[in-house]
Each structure stands twice: as C-alpha cells, then as structure tokens.
Amino acid sequence: MHKIFIIFITTFLLITLVDCTSRKGESQSVVEVVDFGNVQTCKSSELIRVERFLPLETSDRSLFGSIDQLEVWKDRIYLLDTYKTNAVLVFSATDGKFIHKIEGRGNGPGEFLSPHSFWIDRSDGSLYILDRMMSKLLKYDLESLDYEEEIKLPYLAPLAFCVPTEGDYLYYFPLRKNDLFCGKQYVKADKEGNVLSTAYDAPASGKILHGNAAPFYSYGGKIRFCPYFSNRIYEWINDSLKVCREMKWGNRTLPETAVFEKSEDSGDVMREILSSDYIRFLYVYENRAALAVKYYVQKDLYLSVYNKSSGQVANVKAAAVQDDLGLGGLFPMPVGTDEDLLVGSLSLLDMEEKIISPELKACLKQADEEGNPVLVFYNLK
C-alpha cells in the first residue's frame, strides 16, 4: 500500500480521548481528535473503491450548473444549484432520471428568489428551503414538492438552519453589531419565530460570512455541524452543544483569533487569510464509515479523509491526485453521502484524459458531454 496510508493511530491519526476545554454554552466531554497529517501525494485507487456510477439525466428542464448541496433519501437525490437554475432538483437515485424541481420565481407564497440551502426532515417527510436574501424559510411536502407553509425567522438572514425536531428550528447567525442574541450564534426557535434557547458564544471570526451554506447534517439521528473557521464538529443535544470531534491537519491550521481581531473590516481580514496558508471554507461529510473534509488553502482545493474502521487517513491536494482508475484524469470530490458511501461527481466537460474505466464508459452512453455530471458512489480504502 502506498505510503499515504502508512499512517496509524500511533502516528498521525490521533484517536485520543482528551478533556475538552469548553467555551461558554458548550458541554464538557471527551472528544475524538483526528489528525489528517500533512499533505501528501497519492493515486485515486489508494483513496477510494468505486461502487457505482450514476449519470444524471440531461434535458432542458433538468440541466443545472452546480451541485451546491446534495442529499440522498430513500430512492431520490435532492440537489441545490445556485449557479444556473436557482432550484432544488430531484432525480431518481436508481437510474438518474429527472423527477421534479422547485425553482426561484418570485416573492409570493411558496416562492423564492435565491435558495441558500435546504433541509430534509426525515421524521415528517418535509423539505425546507432557506432564501437568505429574502429572509424566508419555506416548507414543502417531500414527496409531491407541494408548498405547505412559511416558517417565521427569529431574525433576518441566518447563515444556515436545520430542523432538529418537528416544530423546532435551529439557526446559525453571524455576529452582528446590533446583536439580538447576546453574542450567541445558535438560536432555536418555534415556527412563529419565538426564540426558545441560544448557545455558542460567537468567536472573533463570527463576523465573517465565509463558509459552507449547509454546515448542519444528520448523523445517527442527531444533528451535527461545523461552525465557520472552526476545526471542531459539534452535536446538538438537549439545547446544548457537545464537542464530538476535533480535527487537525499536520502543520497547517485555520486562522488564529488574532487574525480576526486585527481589523473591524471583514474585507481586510479575508485578504490576509486568502494571501496566507490558512485552512478555510470547510465542507464536512460524515457517515458511519467515513469522515471527509474538503477545504481551501488560498485558491487551491484539498481533501482530507478518515476511514473509521481501519483508522487510515489521507490529506491531499485535489488537483494532484493521480487518476489510475481511468476516470478521465479527474478525481470525484465528495458532494454528499448515501448511507455508508460518499458521493462524488465527475463533469464530462472537465475531462482531459481518455476514459479507461469500463463501468464509466458504459454509463456514458446515456450521458451528454455538455450535460449534467455523473455521480460516483464510493467507499474509502
């Protein structure tokens, strides 16, 4: 096996139970620490084992521009595209056929202009869409996609949201000058917008609006999330926060507090971050089998992964992964999860090398080169 994976619990991967120094509003507990190590080079075959390919149907109605968020539930794939359609599109998880979409049309009942993120409430079969620009949270039936009602927000333009239990809504707000929540960033409210509880003292980075639009995810029936500019994954339990995992990346770090305290101007802060080798803009994907984290350093995209069963880790620059699986010179960076699998995507338009994989070749007979991407479902090695 390539040296990228000769990294075990006793070296780079620190699966260590340590006492967690708690911030105000966090519960004290032990926390698992995962060190992905320094960046190394490797081949695709040393990172993943492909289970299947799924080309998404391309038509005038189903063509989209980007996958900003993707969720798989039962036999359907729900994805958000904010680049071309400003819509949530639904495809069959079995054959990739287009089913339906909800797209931005206006500001009337059930309408939105700029979808920011969505959430699937598996307990009552509902789909929620947040339009941050219009400060609207809309509820739809998950099966028919019919509009049901608008949920009142406790304040304007939250950064993200989720539905931990039916009738309760958890929001993530930036730190504002005219703050209504006493410096707290997490706010639980009812459907009428009445605040029920708050948590998490905002750090100095709380004023910077730079991060994943969908940091909440469901894990084992509970809600987890990674705040902006944080290396910690939290779990929401009984109206409080529990640190359940801390992440490290060898000798690289996220910006320290002093960076955010240097200036009141968010633009100045971001210019320093973007010109330095700080880790920023994390996308966290987790299931029972794996933890995968996409992140940026300056303008370059990276991927760190942790196989929970083997304890193996890897930390790679996306553009430097060598394609030895015959996927057209590309690596399927994760965009979501499906039970114990990670889900990546491949754009035919971006392929610079000949496709060798017979399975990918076979499914490309159904795909349009300038159309929607092919989804790749895989395990970590």
Side-chain angles (χ1 to χ4, degrees), residues 207-252:
K207 63 185 178 182
I208 308 295
L209 280 63
H210 183 75
N212 179 12
F216 292 101
Y217 61 94
S218 180
Y219 181 84
K222 297 179 180 178
I223 301 297
R224 288 189 172 184
F225 50 87
C226 182
Y228 293 2
F229 295 105
S230 174
N231 68 329
R232 288 178 168 181
I233 296 175
Y234 293 84
E235 198 163 84
W236 179 259
I237 302 176
N238 299 324
D239 291 354
S240 65
L241 301 177
K242 174 188 175 184
V243 184
C244 54
R245 181 167 288 115
E246 184 173 306
M247 301 173 289
K248 297 182 179 181
W249 290 267
N251 56 17
R252 275 189 171 157

Coordinates of all heavy atoms in Angstrom, one line a residue, residues 207-252:
K207 N -18.0 37.3 12.8 CA -18.5 38.4 12.0 C -18.2 38.1 10.5 O -18.7 38.9 9.6 CB -17.8 39.7 12.4 CG -16.3 39.6 12.2 CD -15.6 40.9 12.7 CE -14.1 40.8 12.6 NZ -13.4 42.0 13.2
I208 N -17.4 37.1 10.2 CA -17.0 36.8 8.8 C -18.0 35.9 8.1 O -18.2 34.7 8.6 CB -15.6 36.3 8.7 CG1 -14.6 37.2 9.5 CG2 -15.2 36.1 7.2 CD1 -14.5 38.6 8.9
L209 N -18.6 36.3 7.1 CA -19.6 35.4 6.3 C -18.9 34.6 5.3 O -19.0 34.9 4.1 CB -20.7 36.3 5.7 CG -21.8 36.7 6.7 CD1 -21.3 37.7 7.8 CD2 -22.9 37.5 5.9
H210 N -18.1 33.6 5.7 CA -17.3 32.8 4.7 C -17.3 31.4 5.2 O -16.6 31.0 6.1 CB -15.9 33.4 4.7 CG -15.0 32.7 3.7 ND1 -15.1 33.0 2.4 CD2 -14.0 31.8 3.9 CE1 -14.1 32.3 1.7 NE2 -13.5 31.6 2.6
G211 N -18.2 30.6 4.6 CA -18.2 29.2 4.9 C -19.3 28.4 4.2 O -20.1 29.0 3.4
N212 N -19.4 27.2 4.4 CA -20.4 26.3 3.8 C -21.8 26.7 4.2 O -22.2 27.0 5.3 CB -20.2 24.9 4.3 CG -21.1 23.9 3.7 OD1 -21.9 24.1 2.8 ND2 -21.1 22.7 4.3
A213 N -22.7 26.9 3.2 CA -24.1 27.3 3.4 C -24.9 26.2 4.1 O -26.0 26.5 4.6 CB -24.7 27.7 2.1
A214 N -24.4 25.0 4.1 CA -25.1 23.9 4.7 C -24.2 23.1 5.7 O -23.9 22.0 5.5 CB -25.7 23.0 3.7
P215 N -23.8 23.8 6.8 CA -22.9 23.1 7.8 C -23.6 22.1 8.7 O -22.9 21.3 9.3 CB -22.4 24.3 8.6 CG -23.5 25.3 8.6 CD -24.2 25.1 7.2
F216 N -24.9 22.1 8.7 CA -25.6 21.1 9.5 C -25.8 19.8 8.8 O -26.0 19.8 7.6 CB -27.0 21.6 9.9 CG -27.1 22.8 10.8 CD1 -27.3 24.0 10.3 CD2 -26.9 22.6 12.2 CE1 -27.3 25.1 11.2 CE2 -26.9 23.7 13.1 CZ -27.2 25.0 12.6
Y217 N -25.7 18.7 9.5 CA -26.0 17.4 8.9 C -26.5 16.4 9.9 O -26.3 16.5 11.1 CB -24.8 16.8 8.1 CG -23.6 16.5 9.0 CD1 -23.3 15.2 9.5 CD2 -22.6 17.5 9.2 CE1 -22.2 15.0 10.3 CE2 -21.5 17.3 10.0 CZ -21.3 16.0 10.5 OH -20.2 15.7 11.3
S218 N -27.3 15.4 9.4 CA -27.9 14.4 10.3 C -26.9 13.2 10.5 O -26.4 12.7 9.5 CB -29.2 13.9 9.8 OG -29.8 13.0 10.6
Y219 N -26.7 12.8 11.7 CA -25.8 11.7 12.0 C -26.3 10.9 13.1 O -26.4 11.3 14.2 CB -24.4 12.2 12.3 CG -23.3 11.1 12.6 CD1 -22.7 10.5 11.5 CD2 -23.1 10.7 13.8 CE1 -21.7 9.5 11.7 CE2 -22.2 9.7 14.1 CZ -21.5 9.1 13.0 OH -20.6 8.1 13.2
G220 N -26.7 9.6 12.8 CA -27.2 8.7 13.8 C -28.4 9.3 14.5 O -28.6 9.1 15.7
G221 N -29.3 10.0 13.8 CA -30.5 10.6 14.3 C -30.3 11.8 15.1 O -31.2 12.4 15.7
K222 N -29.1 12.4 15.1 CA -28.8 13.6 15.8 C -28.2 14.6 14.8 O -27.9 14.3 13.7 CB -27.8 13.4 17.0 CG -28.3 12.4 18.0 CD -27.3 12.2 19.1 CE -27.8 11.3 20.2 NZ -26.9 11.0 21.3
I223 N -28.2 15.9 15.3 CA -27.7 17.0 14.4 C -26.2 17.3 14.7 O -25.9 17.5 15.9 CB -28.5 18.3 14.7 CG1 -30.0 18.0 14.4 CG2 -28.0 19.4 13.8 CD1 -30.3 17.6 12.9
R224 N -25.4 17.3 13.7 CA -24.0 17.7 13.8 C -23.7 18.9 12.9 O -24.4 19.1 11.9 CB -23.1 16.6 13.5 CG -23.1 15.5 14.6 CD -22.0 14.5 14.4 NE -21.9 13.6 15.5 CZ -21.0 12.6 15.7 NH1 -20.1 12.5 14.7 NH2 -20.9 11.9 16.7
F225 N -22.7 19.7 13.3 CA -22.3 20.8 12.4 C -20.9 21.3 12.8 O -20.4 21.0 13.8 CB -23.3 22.0 12.6 CG -23.6 22.4 14.0 CD1 -22.8 23.3 14.7 CD2 -24.7 21.8 14.7 CE1 -23.1 23.6 16.0 CE2 -24.9 22.1 16.0 CZ -24.1 23.0 16.7
C226 N -20.3 22.0 11.8 CA -19.0 22.6 12.0 C -19.1 24.1 11.7 O -19.4 24.5 10.6 CB -18.0 21.9 11.0 SG -16.3 22.5 11.1
P227 N -18.9 24.9 12.7 CA -19.0 26.4 12.5 C -17.9 26.9 11.6 O -16.9 26.2 11.4 CB -18.8 26.9 14.0 CG -19.1 25.8 14.9 CD -18.7 24.6 14.1
Y228 N -18.2 28.1 11.0 CA -17.2 28.7 10.2 C -15.9 28.9 10.9 O -15.8 29.3 12.1 CB -17.7 30.0 9.6 CG -18.9 29.9 8.7 CD1 -19.5 28.7 8.4 CD2 -19.4 31.1 8.1 CE1 -20.6 28.6 7.6 CE2 -20.5 31.0 7.3 CZ -21.1 29.8 7.0 OH -22.2 29.7 6.2
F229 N -14.7 28.6 10.2 CA -13.4 28.8 10.8 C -13.2 28.0 12.1 O -12.5 28.5 13.0 CB -13.1 30.3 11.0 CG -13.1 31.2 9.8 CD1 -14.2 32.0 9.5 CD2 -12.0 31.1 8.9 CE1 -14.1 32.7 8.3 CE2 -12.0 31.8 7.7 CZ -13.1 32.7 7.4
S230 N -13.8 26.9 12.1 CA -13.6 26.0 13.3 C -13.1 24.6 12.9 O -13.5 24.1 11.8 CB -14.9 25.9 14.1 OG -14.8 24.9 15.1
N231 N -12.2 24.0 13.7 CA -11.8 22.7 13.5 C -12.5 21.7 14.3 O -12.1 20.5 14.5 CB -10.3 22.6 13.8 CG -9.9 22.7 15.2 OD1 -10.7 23.5 15.9 ND2 -8.9 22.1 15.7
R232 N -13.7 22.1 14.9 CA -14.5 21.2 15.8 C -15.8 20.9 15.1 O -16.4 21.8 14.5 CB -14.7 21.9 17.1 CG -13.4 21.9 18.0 CD -13.7 22.6 19.3 NE -12.6 22.4 20.3 CZ -12.6 22.9 21.5 NH1 -13.7 23.7 21.9 NH2 -11.6 22.7 22.3
I233 N -16.2 19.7 15.3 CA -17.6 19.2 15.0 C -18.4 19.1 16.3 O -17.9 18.5 17.2 CB -17.5 17.9 14.2 CG1 -16.8 18.0 12.9 CG2 -18.9 17.4 14.0 CD1 -16.6 16.7 12.1
Y234 N -19.5 19.7 16.2 CA -20.4 19.7 17.4 C -21.6 18.9 17.2 O -22.1 18.7 16.1 CB -20.8 21.2 17.7 CG -19.7 22.1 18.2 CD1 -18.9 22.8 17.3 CD2 -19.5 22.3 19.5 CE1 -17.9 23.6 17.7 CE2 -18.5 23.2 20.0 CZ -17.7 23.8 19.0 OH -16.7 24.7 19.4
E235 N -22.2 18.5 18.3 CA -23.5 17.8 18.3 C -24.5 18.6 19.1 O -24.1 19.0 20.2 CB -23.4 16.4 18.8 CG -24.5 15.4 18.4 CD -24.1 14.0 18.6 OE1 -24.2 13.5 19.7 OE2 -23.7 13.4 17.6
W236 N -25.7 18.7 18.6 CA -26.8 19.5 19.3 C -27.6 18.5 20.2 O -28.3 17.6 19.6 CB -27.7 20.2 18.3 CG -28.8 20.9 19.0 CD1 -30.1 20.6 19.0 CD2 -28.7 22.2 19.5 NE1 -30.9 21.5 19.6 CE2 -30.1 22.6 20.0 CE3 -27.7 23.2 19.7 CZ2 -30.3 23.8 20.6 CZ3 -28.0 24.4 20.4 CH2 -29.3 24.7 20.8
I237 N -27.4 18.6 21.5 CA -28.1 17.6 22.4 C -28.8 18.4 23.5 O -28.1 19.1 24.3 CB -27.1 16.6 23.0 CG1 -26.4 15.8 21.9 CG2 -27.8 15.7 24.0 CD1 -25.3 14.9 22.4
N238 N -30.1 18.2 23.7 CA -30.8 18.9 24.8 C -30.5 20.4 24.9 O -30.2 20.9 26.0 CB -30.5 18.2 26.1 CG -30.9 16.7 26.1 OD1 -31.9 16.3 25.5 ND2 -30.1 15.9 26.7
D239 N -30.6 21.1 23.8 CA -30.4 22.5 23.7 C -29.0 23.0 24.1 O -28.8 24.1 24.6 CB -31.5 23.2 24.6 CG -32.9 23.1 24.1 OD1 -33.0 22.6 22.9 OD2 -33.8 23.6 24.7
S240 N -28.1 22.1 24.0 CA -26.7 22.5 24.3 C -25.8 21.9 23.3 O -26.2 21.0 22.5 CB -26.3 22.1 25.7 OG -26.3 20.7 25.8
L241 N -24.5 22.3 23.2 CA -23.5 21.9 22.3 C -22.5 20.9 22.9 O -22.0 21.2 24.0 CB -22.8 23.0 21.7 CG -23.6 24.1 21.0 CD1 -22.7 25.2 20.5 CD2 -24.3 23.5 19.8
K242 N -22.3 19.8 22.2 CA -21.3 18.9 22.7 C -20.2 18.8 21.6 O -20.5 18.5 20.4 CB -21.9 17.5 23.0 CG -20.8 16.4 23.3 CD -21.5 15.1 23.3 CE -20.5 14.0 23.6 NZ -21.1 12.6 23.5
V243 N -18.9 19.0 22.0 CA -17.9 18.8 21.0 C -17.6 17.3 20.9 O -17.3 16.6 21.8 CB -16.6 19.5 21.5 CG1 -15.5 19.3 20.4 CG2 -16.8 21.0 21.8
C244 N -17.8 16.8 19.6 CA -17.6 15.4 19.5 C -16.4 15.0 18.7 O -16.0 13.8 18.7 CB -18.9 14.8 18.8 SG -19.4 15.5 17.3
R245 N -15.8 16.0 18.0 CA -14.6 15.7 17.2 C -13.8 17.0 17.0 O -14.4 18.0 16.8 CB -14.9 15.0 15.9 CG -13.7 14.7 15.0 CD -14.0 13.8 13.9 NE -14.3 12.4 14.4 CZ -15.5 11.8 14.2 NH1 -16.5 12.4 13.7 NH2 -15.7 10.6 14.7
E246 N -12.5 16.8 17.1 CA -11.6 17.9 16.8 C -10.6 17.5 15.7 O -10.1 16.3 15.7 CB -10.8 18.3 18.0 CG -9.9 19.5 17.8 CD -9.2 20.0 19.1 OE1 -9.9 20.2 20.1 OE2 -8.0 20.1 19.1
M247 N -10.4 18.3 14.7 CA -9.7 17.9 13.5 C -8.4 18.7 13.4 O -8.3 19.9 13.8 CB -10.5 18.1 12.2 CG -11.8 17.3 12.2 SD -12.9 17.8 10.8 CE -13.4 19.4 11.3
K248 N -7.3 18.1 12.9 CA -6.0 18.7 12.7 C -5.5 18.3 11.4 O -5.8 17.3 10.8 CB -5.0 18.3 13.8 CG -5.4 18.7 15.2 CD -4.4 18.3 16.2 CE -4.8 18.8 17.6 NZ -3.7 18.4 18.7
W249 N -4.6 19.2 10.8 CA -4.0 18.9 9.5 C -2.5 19.1 9.5 O -2.0 20.0 8.9 CB -4.7 19.9 8.5 CG -6.1 19.6 8.2 CD1 -6.6 18.9 7.2 CD2 -7.2 20.1 8.9 NE1 -8.0 18.9 7.2 CE2 -8.4 19.6 8.2 CE3 -7.4 21.0 10.0 CZ2 -9.7 19.9 8.7 CZ3 -8.7 21.2 10.4 CH2 -9.8 20.7 9.8
G250 N -1.9 18.3 10.3 CA -0.4 18.4 10.4 C 0.1 19.8 10.8 O -0.4 20.3 11.9
N251 N 0.9 20.4 10.0 CA 1.4 21.7 10.4 C 0.6 22.9 9.9 O 1.0 24.0 10.0 CB 2.9 21.8 9.9 CG 3.0 21.6 8.4 OD1 2.0 21.7 7.6 ND2 4.2 21.4 7.9
R252 N -0.6 22.6 9.3 CA -1.4 23.7 8.8 C -2.6 23.9 9.8 O -3.0 23.0 10.4 CB -2.0 23.4 7.4 CG -1.1 23.8 6.3 CD -1.7 23.6 4.9 NE -0.9 24.2 3.9 CZ -1.0 23.8 2.6 NH1 -1.9 22.9 2.2 NH2 -0.2 24.4 1.7

